[in-house]
Amino acid sequence: MTIAFQVTGDGRELLVEMIGRLGLTDVADVHVRLLKALAEQPQSLLIDLSGMTVEEPLALAVFTAASRQAARWPGIPLLLCTARPPVHALLTGPAYHRLPVFDSLGTARAHARDHGGETMPAISDDLLPITGAPRHARDVATDACLRWDEPGLVGPASLIASELVSNVVDHAHTMMTLRLSLRRRYLNIAVRDGSPAEPTRPLRVPGRTDLNRGRGLLLVDASSHAWGWVPSADGKVVWASLARPRS
């Protein structure tokens, strides 16, 4: 690994400084580290590349993958900052021109402030892996939807919150944090637990209704606009999004 990371944040903004020479052998580790930064669910993620050089331009595709994940969940801007002419030229060239690239942290922060819009509401709750946790998760989701004037999302949001929490109770057996956040187009529901194990993917078998393995996530898959998971610093986050009704 030739890339060093320094991560700082204030709860709203998370700054990742990457230092070293980026090559293809670094891509997998860089991708995981960026996903772990997204798992913190900041309002914006800034990546400072002023201390980084590029050994292989194809390795920059890792930022495209991270940017796509940031857009899907948690629905935040991922902004790249570099004053190095060679790196800046590569990132603004034809292959990566869709990535938001700025020549300084100051301009990136100004862009996030001016175009990120107002801070959207969020609610979170820490839960024990006990039998009553799914019911409590349903109550939290219901309260959030009603508080945010989204009564049409009460049903699917409470179902998803309950199933994500049940998955932790049944499989991870760790403390967890349930978080619901409202974005312009989506209501996001996420559960963070202390197990790094990948959640069981749902299996669709025609005519079968007795599936136990992954059945809860099958309901999440059927009820949500999109869902997935990302590694975190101490486990993982399983997330799902619901499209908000257009007014």
Side-chain angles (χ1 to χ4, degrees):
M1 179 67 188
T2 57
I3 296 292
F5 286 78
Q6 295 180 3
V7 181
T8 55
D10 59 6
R12 174 180 173 85
E13 171 195 286
L14 198 62
L15 172 63
V16 176
E17 297 178 76
M18 295 178 54
I19 303 167
R21 189 169 180 82
L22 180 68
L24 290 175
T25 57
D26 301 305
V27 167
D29 188 71
V30 169
H31 188 233
V32 169
R33 287 175 179 261
L34 294 179
L35 291 183
K36 288 182 177 180
L38 291 174
E40 300 304 317
Q41 302 178 61
Q43 290 292 320
S44 61
L45 177 60
L46 277 62
I47 305 176
D48 184 1
L49 306 179
S50 59
M52 190 192 80
T53 59
V54 178
E55 178 180 288
E56 173 51 64
L58 285 176
L60 293 171
V62 69
F63 298 117
T64 300
S67 181
R68 287 173 178 167
Q69 176 61 64
R72 294 182 70 209
W73 181 88
I76 63 169
L78 183 151
L79 309 175
L80 304 175
C81 319
T82 179
R84 285 180 175 267
V87 179
H88 192 279
L90 288 170
L91 288 171
T92 54
Y96 306 108
H97 68 280
R98 294 183 181 276
L99 290 171
V101 182
F102 301 87
D103 57 8
S104 71
L105 284 174
T107 55
R109 287 188 170 111
H111 179 88
R113 182 179 62 250
D114 295 340
H115 299 279
E118 63 208 75
T119 300
M120 302 300 278
I123 186 171
S124 63
D125 202 358
D126 295 327
L127 304 175
L128 290 166
I130 58 178
T131 304
R135 178 182 296 276
H136 182 72
R138 288 195 295 270
D139 293 341
V140 172
T142 298
D143 178 69
C145 290
L146 295 178
R147 184 183 304 181
W148 298 334
D149 196 25
E150 295 287 355
L153 297 182
V154 167
S158 59
L159 171 65
I160 289 171
S162 173
E163 293 300 335
L164 292 183
V165 167
S166 292
N167 202 51
V168 179
V169 174
D170 294 340
H171 301 289
H173 314 297
T174 70
M175 284 289 295
M176 71 196 94
T177 299
L178 168 67
R179 179 181 172 89
L180 292 95
S181 55
L182 196 66
R183 303 295 179 184
R184 292 188 183 279
R185 295 177 57 192
Y186 300 104
L187 170 65
N188 290 332
I189 306 159
V191 173
R192 181 172 185 159
D193 66 56
S195 170
E198 179 177 355
T200 303
R201 291 282 171 173
L203 298 173
R204 295 184 179 275
V205 181
R208 290 285 301 278
T209 59
D210 59 341
L211 298 176
N212 292 318
R213 183 173 172 82
R215 187 176 180 184
L217 293 181
L218 186 62
L219 293 174
V220 172
D221 182 58
S223 304
S224 62
H225 168 76
W227 79 279
W229 76 284
V230 297
S232 66
D234 54 1
K236 67 177 176 295
V237 176
V238 185
W239 61 269
S241 61
L242 288 169
R244 296 176 63 185
R246 295 188 177 183
S247 56

